Amino acid sequence: MIEDADGCLQADFANEWIGGGVLQAGCVQEEILFLEKPECLCSMLFCEVMLANESITLVGAERFSKHTGYARGFKYAGDFKDKTPLDPKRRISNVIIAFDAIVAFSVLVKGKMKDERITFLTKNLDWWRVRQWMSLYTYNLCKNHLSAIMDADSVP
């Protein structure tokens, strides 16, 4: 699972409101990420709705729990001891880039379920490419400055 990969940039295929339904009934990718790394919940207090050209970077969130399943099958699977290496500022060395994801769905057409995911994603492939490029570009642009932004020692 992506949660078990060390040293990777993680994508949060987010709701336009960061955190999605984590405080309500949602339990898919973003909500599970926020449940396992509850420090991400703070972003819900400080970040407004994401526009189409925006992403949110979360740095150093520690994982505290494991899970099994997804959506209605989601279950807490116990505590997790995060052994991710620390960065030079002694933060968990991980970065999450959140961007508003496209909703993929199936629809009922003339009494039959029609899978709209392929059509929907194909029509929006350029949109996806731009969003992913923007998120990675933002991360690369900011990665040298993240230490300064998050550095408590730099506060006068």
Side-chain angles (χ1 to χ4, degrees):
M1 288 201 270
I2 193 167
E3 298 91 359
D4 298 325
D6 286 336
C8 295
L9 177 67
Q10 292 184 338
D12 173 10
F13 296 93
N15 183 290
E16 63 185 344
W17 290 94
I18 188 103
V22 69
L23 299 179
Q24 297 168 359
C27 201
V28 289
Q29 190 260 345
E30 181 175 31
E31 290 83 2
I32 292 170
L33 176 69
F34 277 53
L35 291 171
E36 290 191 340
K37 297 181 176 192
E39 295 163 323
C40 293
L41 293 168
C42 296
S43 65
M44 296 173 70
L45 295 171
F46 300 107
C47 298
E48 297 179 13
V49 65
M50 277 186 275
L51 301 177
N53 64 344
E54 294 180 319
S55 63
I56 296 171
T57 304
L58 305 172
V59 179
E62 185 175 352
R63 183 176 171 199
F64 289 95
S65 63
K66 299 181 281 189
H67 77 280
T68 60
Y70 189 79
R72 290 189 175 139
F74 176 84
K75 288 189 176 29
Y76 170 75
D79 293 343
F80 181 84
K81 177 67 176 157
D82 199 335
K83 296 179 182 173
T84 304
L86 302 179
D87 69 10
K89 299 293 180 188
R90 308 219 13 94
R91 300 171 295 196
I92 297 290
S93 184
N94 74 9
V95 176
I96 300 164
I97 303 287
F99 54 94
D100 185 20
I102 293 176
V103 176
F105 56 91
S106 296
V107 294
L108 188 61
V109 177
K110 296 181 183 177
K112 294 183 180 177
M113 290 304 289
K114 181 179 177 187
D115 192 353
E116 290 293 315
R117 284 177 234 163
I118 294 172
T119 303
F120 193 73
L121 293 175
T122 303
K123 288 179 182 175
N124 291 286
L125 190 55
D126 287 338
W127 184 87
W128 270 103
R129 286 182 187 146
V130 168
R131 294 303 300 266
Q132 291 171 342
W133 177 87
M134 178 193 65
S135 297
L136 293 172
Y137 177 79
T138 302
Y139 168 71
N140 285 325
L141 185 65
C142 296
K143 71 180 174 183
N144 294 328
H145 303 288
L146 289 173
S147 293
I149 292 168
M150 305 299 286
D151 184 3
D153 298 333
S154 66
V155 178

